[in-house]
Amino acid sequence: AAARLAAEQEVENLSGLSPNPEKDIFVVRENRTTCLMAEFAAKFIVPYDVWASNYVDLITEQADIPLSRGAEMKGKCGTNESELELSWLDQAYTLKLSFLKVRARREPGRGRGGSAGSSPALSRQEGHNTSRGPEASWKLSRIQFTYDTSERTYFKDAVSPGKHTASSHRLSALVTPAGRSYECQAQQTISLVSSDHQKSVQLLLSEVRLQPFDIPADFVFSEEHKCPVDQREQLEETLPLILGLILGLVIVVTLGIYHIHHKLTASQVQIPRDRSQYKHMG
C-alpha cells in the first residue's frame, strides 16, 4: 500500500519557471491530479550566538536564509489536512507547512444532539456539507523550520553549533474561504519560537499564491482571495480615480443646474418688462 501511495503521489519543483529568482513554485499531484499549489518568496531571519572578541561574552548575530530554488520537496493532500515539506542544502534546512480546512461554525441553537450521540453517518454528512459551505475556510495552521547552525553558508562561528527547530504557536494565518486560493503580493512576517534558547525566528513571505485544497484543474488556481494589505493598496490606487469621477460628475451637475436656473431667472425677469411695455402702449 505504501508503494502504491508513493507511486500515486508526485511532487514538482517548478521554480525555474518563475521570472523572479527569489520566488519558488511547488506542485503536489495525487492520482495524476493537482491537489496543492504554492508560489511564494521566503526568507528566514535567524538570530544566533557567537563569542565576543574577549571570548567571555556572547553577542547575537543574524543569519538571513532564503529558500533555495533547488529545494527538495515532499507533500501530501487530504480532505481537511494538507502538508508541504521543503528541504535544501543537504537537509541543513527544512520547512514544513501544514494546512487545515476549518468547518463552518454552527449557528446558536443548532446542532443539538450532534455530540457523542449523533450517528457516524450524520457526522460524515455534516462534515461534507460544511467543509465546502460558504462559511467554511482553510488556513495555514502550523509552520516548522529546522536549521543547522553548523552549516557554514549562513552561520559563522556559532556557539554550540547544531540543529534547532523553530515552530509556530497556535497559528491561524492566510485564512481563506474554502474553494478559493490565497494571494498576497505584500510582504508578511510570521514569528516562530526556536528551541535555541527561545529565540524569535522571523519568516518573511511575499508574492504568495497558495491553494492546498479543492483545486479545480491541473495547475489552475481557483479565484483568488486577496490579503487585507493588497486590498487596501488596490483601494488606494483606485480611490483617486473614483474621487475624480465623482468630482467631475458634481461639476457637470452643478453647471447644469446653474444653466437651467439662469434660463428660468432670465425668463421671469423678461415677462414683467413685456407687460409694462404693453400697458404704456395702451
Side-chain angles (χ1 to χ4, degrees), residues 8 10-11 16 21 35 38-39 43 69 71 73 103 106 169 181 189 193 197 215 219 236 244 248 260 265 268 272:
E8 291 173 350
E10 303 172 26
V11 292
C35 58
E39 300 179 5
K43 182 174 73 171
R69 264 203 158 178
M73 62 177 294
R103 296 181 179 183
R106 292 175 179 171
H169 179 65
S181 63
T189 302
V193 178
H197 299 88
I215 293 179
F219 308 107
E236 289 173 353
I260 294 171
T265 304
Q268 291 173 358

mmCIF file of all heavy atoms in Angstrom, residues 8 10-11 16 21 35 38-39 43 69 71 73 103 106 169 181 189 193 197 215 219 236 244 248 260 265 268 272:
data_model
loop_
_atom_site.group_PDB
_atom_site.id
_atom_site.type_symbol
_atom_site.label_atom_id
_atom_site.label_comp_id
_atom_site.label_asym_id
_atom_site.label_seq_id
_atom_site.Cartn_x
_atom_site.Cartn_y
_atom_site.Cartn_z
ATOM 1 N N GLU A 8 1.395 6.992 -6.587
ATOM 2 C CA GLU A 8 0.266 7.838 -6.959
ATOM 3 C C GLU A 8 0.526 9.311 -6.627
ATOM 4 O O GLU A 8 -0.164 10.190 -7.114
ATOM 5 C CB GLU A 8 -0.997 7.354 -6.245
ATOM 6 C CG GLU A 8 -1.485 5.992 -6.755
ATOM 7 C CD GLU A 8 -2.629 5.455 -5.935
ATOM 8 O OE1 GLU A 8 -2.913 6.046 -4.874
ATOM 9 O OE2 GLU A 8 -3.241 4.448 -6.341
ATOM 10 N N GLU A 10 2.903 12.647 -6.725
ATOM 11 C CA GLU A 10 4.003 13.259 -7.455
ATOM 12 C C GLU A 10 4.222 14.659 -6.906
ATOM 13 O O GLU A 10 3.276 15.356 -6.524
ATOM 14 C CB GLU A 10 3.671 13.356 -8.952
ATOM 15 C CG GLU A 10 3.325 12.034 -9.616
ATOM 16 C CD GLU A 10 2.832 12.245 -11.038
ATOM 17 O OE1 GLU A 10 3.198 13.264 -11.653
ATOM 18 O OE2 GLU A 10 2.057 11.401 -11.513
ATOM 19 N N VAL A 11 5.484 15.074 -6.861
ATOM 20 C CA VAL A 11 5.812 16.437 -6.444
ATOM 21 C C VAL A 11 6.708 17.054 -7.506
ATOM 22 O O VAL A 11 7.543 16.376 -8.104
ATOM 23 C CB VAL A 11 6.521 16.452 -5.068
ATOM 24 C CG1 VAL A 11 5.570 16.019 -3.971
ATOM 25 C CG2 VAL A 11 7.756 15.569 -5.076
ATOM 26 N N GLY A 16 11.949 27.090 -11.584
ATOM 27 C CA GLY A 16 12.655 27.579 -12.765
ATOM 28 C C GLY A 16 11.765 28.319 -13.741
ATOM 29 O O GLY A 16 12.250 29.067 -14.590
ATOM 30 N N PRO A 21 13.841 35.349 -9.476
ATOM 31 C CA PRO A 21 14.739 34.322 -8.938
ATOM 32 C C PRO A 21 14.519 34.018 -7.466
ATOM 33 O O PRO A 21 14.982 32.989 -6.970
ATOM 34 C CB PRO A 21 16.132 34.929 -9.166
ATOM 35 C CG PRO A 21 15.903 36.396 -9.275
ATOM 36 C CD PRO A 21 14.556 36.564 -9.899
ATOM 37 N N CYS A 35 -3.312 18.651 -6.416
ATOM 38 C CA CYS A 35 -4.078 18.802 -5.175
ATOM 39 C C CYS A 35 -3.521 19.907 -4.274
ATOM 40 O O CYS A 35 -4.167 20.293 -3.298
ATOM 41 C CB CYS A 35 -4.132 17.477 -4.418
ATOM 42 S SG CYS A 35 -2.509 16.781 -3.975
ATOM 43 N N ALA A 38 1.637 25.972 -4.641
ATOM 44 C CA ALA A 38 2.199 27.032 -3.798
ATOM 45 C C ALA A 38 3.228 27.829 -4.584
ATOM 46 O O ALA A 38 4.130 27.258 -5.195
ATOM 47 C CB ALA A 38 2.844 26.428 -2.552
ATOM 48 N N GLU A 39 3.064 29.147 -4.560
ATOM 49 C CA GLU A 39 4.036 30.063 -5.140
ATOM 50 C C GLU A 39 4.345 31.126 -4.089
ATOM 51 O O GLU A 39 3.433 31.757 -3.565
ATOM 52 C CB GLU A 39 3.474 30.740 -6.398
ATOM 53 C CG GLU A 39 3.087 29.801 -7.518
ATOM 54 C CD GLU A 39 2.526 30.546 -8.724
ATOM 55 O OE1 GLU A 39 2.533 31.799 -8.693
ATOM 56 O OE2 GLU A 39 2.086 29.897 -9.671
ATOM 57 N N LYS A 43 12.064 33.991 3.160
ATOM 58 C CA LYS A 43 13.378 34.192 3.770
ATOM 59 C C LYS A 43 13.221 34.125 5.279
ATOM 60 O O LYS A 43 12.229 34.607 5.837
ATOM 61 C CB LYS A 43 13.970 35.545 3.354
ATOM 62 C CG LYS A 43 15.372 35.792 3.922
ATOM 63 C CD LYS A 43 15.984 37.071 3.376
ATOM 64 C CE LYS A 43 15.361 38.305 3.957
ATOM 65 N NZ LYS A 43 16.094 39.547 3.587
ATOM 66 N N ARG A 69 16.138 27.729 -4.498
ATOM 67 C CA ARG A 69 15.371 27.321 -5.673
ATOM 68 C C ARG A 69 15.446 25.828 -5.930
ATOM 69 O O ARG A 69 14.542 25.239 -6.481
ATOM 70 C CB ARG A 69 15.866 28.067 -6.914
ATOM 71 C CG ARG A 69 15.037 29.289 -7.226
ATOM 72 C CD ARG A 69 15.143 29.673 -8.664
ATOM 73 N NE ARG A 69 14.003 30.463 -9.075
ATOM 74 C CZ ARG A 69 13.858 30.967 -10.278
ATOM 75 N NH1 ARG A 69 14.780 30.764 -11.188
ATOM 76 N NH2 ARG A 69 12.792 31.660 -10.598
ATOM 77 N N ALA A 71 15.279 23.447 -3.841
ATOM 78 C CA ALA A 71 14.813 22.709 -2.669
ATOM 79 C C ALA A 71 14.156 21.392 -3.063
ATOM 80 O O ALA A 71 13.418 21.308 -4.038
ATOM 81 C CB ALA A 71 13.825 23.562 -1.875
ATOM 82 N N MET A 73 11.415 18.494 -2.178
ATOM 83 C CA MET A 73 10.091 18.679 -1.611
ATOM 84 C C MET A 73 9.352 17.359 -1.425
ATOM 85 O O MET A 73 9.586 16.376 -2.112
ATOM 86 C CB MET A 73 9.251 19.624 -2.483
ATOM 87 C CG MET A 73 8.993 19.134 -3.896
ATOM 88 S SD MET A 73 7.914 20.253 -4.832
ATOM 89 C CE MET A 73 6.378 20.108 -3.931
ATOM 90 N N ARG A 103 -14.219 23.823 9.386
ATOM 91 C CA ARG A 103 -15.656 23.751 9.126
ATOM 92 C C ARG A 103 -16.341 25.045 9.522
ATOM 93 O O ARG A 103 -15.899 25.753 10.415
ATOM 94 C CB ARG A 103 -16.285 22.598 9.912
ATOM 95 C CG ARG A 103 -15.799 21.222 9.507
ATOM 96 C CD ARG A 103 -16.495 20.165 10.331
ATOM 97 N NE ARG A 103 -16.085 18.823 9.958
ATOM 98 C CZ ARG A 103 -16.596 17.723 10.494
ATOM 99 N NH1 ARG A 103 -17.515 17.845 11.433
ATOM 100 N NH2 ARG A 103 -16.179 16.542 10.101
ATOM 101 N N ARG A 106 -21.405 26.306 13.585
ATOM 102 C CA ARG A 106 -22.856 26.159 13.654
ATOM 103 C C ARG A 106 -23.482 27.385 14.287
ATOM 104 O O ARG A 106 -22.913 28.006 15.175
ATOM 105 C CB ARG A 106 -23.218 24.924 14.483
ATOM 106 C CG ARG A 106 -22.823 23.620 13.811
ATOM 107 C CD ARG A 106 -23.095 22.470 14.748
ATOM 108 N NE ARG A 106 -22.750 21.194 14.142
ATOM 109 C CZ ARG A 106 -22.727 20.045 14.798
ATOM 110 N NH1 ARG A 106 -23.012 20.036 16.078
ATOM 111 N NH2 ARG A 106 -22.421 18.927 14.176
ATOM 112 N N HIS A 169 3.093 28.908 17.142
ATOM 113 C CA HIS A 169 2.280 28.565 18.312
ATOM 114 C C HIS A 169 0.850 29.016 18.060
ATOM 115 O O HIS A 169 0.577 30.205 17.903
ATOM 116 C CB HIS A 169 2.843 29.244 19.563
ATOM 117 C CG HIS A 169 2.060 28.965 20.814
ATOM 118 N ND1 HIS A 169 1.967 27.703 21.361
ATOM 119 C CD2 HIS A 169 1.315 29.788 21.599
ATOM 120 C CE1 HIS A 169 1.198 27.762 22.441
ATOM 121 N NE2 HIS A 169 0.798 29.016 22.607
ATOM 122 N N SER A 181 -8.243 30.372 -3.698
ATOM 123 C CA SER A 181 -6.808 30.445 -3.446
ATOM 124 C C SER A 181 -6.488 31.723 -2.684
ATOM 125 O O SER A 181 -7.257 32.687 -2.712
ATOM 126 C CB SER A 181 -6.031 30.418 -4.769
ATOM 127 O OG SER A 181 -6.350 31.555 -5.561
ATOM 128 N N THR A 189 5.149 39.018 7.791
ATOM 129 C CA THR A 189 6.119 38.479 8.744
ATOM 130 C C THR A 189 5.405 37.582 9.745
ATOM 131 O O THR A 189 4.413 37.983 10.348
ATOM 132 C CB THR A 189 6.840 39.607 9.493
ATOM 133 O OG1 THR A 189 7.494 40.466 8.547
ATOM 134 C CG2 THR A 189 7.876 39.049 10.450
ATOM 135 N N VAL A 193 9.073 30.489 17.333
ATOM 136 C CA VAL A 193 9.875 30.371 18.552
ATOM 137 C C VAL A 193 10.839 29.213 18.392
ATOM 138 O O VAL A 193 10.440 28.087 18.088
ATOM 139 C CB VAL A 193 8.979 30.156 19.789
ATOM 140 C CG1 VAL A 193 9.836 29.997 21.039
ATOM 141 C CG2 VAL A 193 8.011 31.323 19.948
ATOM 142 N N HIS A 197 17.211 28.476 22.942
ATOM 143 C CA HIS A 197 17.008 29.484 23.987
ATOM 144 C C HIS A 197 15.808 30.403 23.693
ATOM 145 O O HIS A 197 15.839 31.599 23.995
ATOM 146 C CB HIS A 197 18.277 30.323 24.202
ATOM 147 C CG HIS A 197 19.454 29.518 24.638
ATOM 148 N ND1 HIS A 197 20.308 28.914 23.742
ATOM 149 C CD2 HIS A 197 19.913 29.189 25.879
ATOM 150 C CE1 HIS A 197 21.260 28.272 24.407
ATOM 151 N NE2 HIS A 197 21.050 28.412 25.694
ATOM 152 N N ILE A 215 -8.562 22.254 -5.706
ATOM 153 C CA ILE A 215 -8.054 22.842 -6.954
ATOM 154 C C ILE A 215 -8.912 22.353 -8.112
ATOM 155 O O ILE A 215 -9.125 21.140 -8.271
ATOM 156 C CB ILE A 215 -6.573 22.474 -7.154
ATOM 157 C CG1 ILE A 215 -5.736 23.156 -6.062
ATOM 158 C CG2 ILE A 215 -6.077 22.864 -8.539
ATOM 159 C CD1 ILE A 215 -4.265 22.865 -6.136
ATOM 160 N N PHE A 219 -2.844 22.492 -12.402
ATOM 161 C CA PHE A 219 -2.043 23.716 -12.490
ATOM 162 C C PHE A 219 -2.901 24.980 -12.634
ATOM 163 O O PHE A 219 -2.448 25.982 -13.187
ATOM 164 C CB PHE A 219 -1.046 23.629 -13.654
ATOM 165 C CG PHE A 219 -0.199 22.398 -13.635
ATOM 166 C CD1 PHE A 219 -0.415 21.372 -14.544
ATOM 167 C CD2 PHE A 219 0.818 22.255 -12.706
ATOM 168 C CE1 PHE A 219 0.364 20.227 -14.519
ATOM 169 C CE2 PHE A 219 1.602 21.110 -12.665
ATOM 170 C CZ PHE A 219 1.373 20.092 -13.578
ATOM 171 N N GLU A 236 -6.328 52.112 -2.493
ATOM 172 C CA GLU A 236 -5.581 53.366 -2.547
ATOM 173 C C GLU A 236 -5.256 53.754 -3.990
ATOM 174 O O GLU A 236 -5.159 54.938 -4.314
ATOM 175 C CB GLU A 236 -4.294 53.240 -1.732
ATOM 176 C CG GLU A 236 -4.524 53.179 -0.227
ATOM 177 C CD GLU A 236 -3.258 52.897 0.549
ATOM 178 O OE1 GLU A 236 -2.227 52.618 -0.116
ATOM 179 O OE2 GLU A 236 -3.282 52.935 1.784
ATOM 180 N N GLY A 244 -12.043 61.413 -8.505
ATOM 181 C CA GLY A 244 -12.009 62.286 -9.680
ATOM 182 C C GLY A 244 -13.295 62.187 -10.489
ATOM 183 O O GLY A 244 -13.829 63.211 -10.952
ATOM 184 N N GLY A 248 -15.897 65.194 -11.033
ATOM 185 C CA GLY A 248 -16.311 65.603 -12.371
ATOM 186 C C GLY A 248 -17.815 65.570 -12.532
ATOM 187 O O GLY A 248 -18.409 66.475 -13.137
ATOM 188 N N ILE A 260 -29.751 75.887 -16.041
ATOM 189 C CA ILE A 260 -31.223 75.855 -16.011
ATOM 190 C C ILE A 260 -31.761 76.995 -15.164
ATOM 191 O O ILE A 260 -32.719 77.688 -15.539
ATOM 192 C CB ILE A 260 -31.706 74.493 -15.478
ATOM 193 C CG1 ILE A 260 -31.331 73.377 -16.462
ATOM 194 C CG2 ILE A 260 -33.212 74.506 -15.230
ATOM 195 C CD1 ILE A 260 -31.580 71.992 -15.925
ATOM 196 N N THR A 265 -34.508 82.229 -14.522
ATOM 197 C CA THR A 265 -34.439 83.586 -13.957
ATOM 198 C C THR A 265 -34.560 84.635 -15.051
ATOM 199 O O THR A 265 -35.281 85.637 -14.912
ATOM 200 C CB THR A 265 -33.109 83.776 -13.204
ATOM 201 O OG1 THR A 265 -32.979 82.765 -12.204
ATOM 202 C CG2 THR A 265 -33.050 85.141 -12.553
ATOM 203 N N GLN A 268 -38.208 84.849 -16.104
ATOM 204 C CA GLN A 268 -39.051 85.522 -15.126
ATOM 205 C C GLN A 268 -38.838 87.032 -15.134
ATOM 206 O O GLN A 268 -39.754 87.811 -14.954
ATOM 207 C CB GLN A 268 -38.769 84.967 -13.733
ATOM 208 C CG GLN A 268 -39.249 83.522 -13.563
ATOM 209 C CD GLN A 268 -38.820 82.934 -12.250
ATOM 210 O OE1 GLN A 268 -38.129 83.603 -11.469
ATOM 211 N NE2 GLN A 268 -39.219 81.697 -11.989
ATOM 212 N N PRO A 272 -42.286 90.520 -16.842
ATOM 213 C CA PRO A 272 -42.836 91.796 -16.350
ATOM 214 C C PRO A 272 -42.479 92.965 -17.254
ATOM 215 O O PRO A 272 -43.283 93.864 -17.451
ATOM 216 C CB PRO A 272 -42.198 91.952 -14.979
ATOM 217 C CG PRO A 272 -41.833 90.563 -14.568
ATOM 218 C CD PRO A 272 -41.478 89.874 -15.820
#
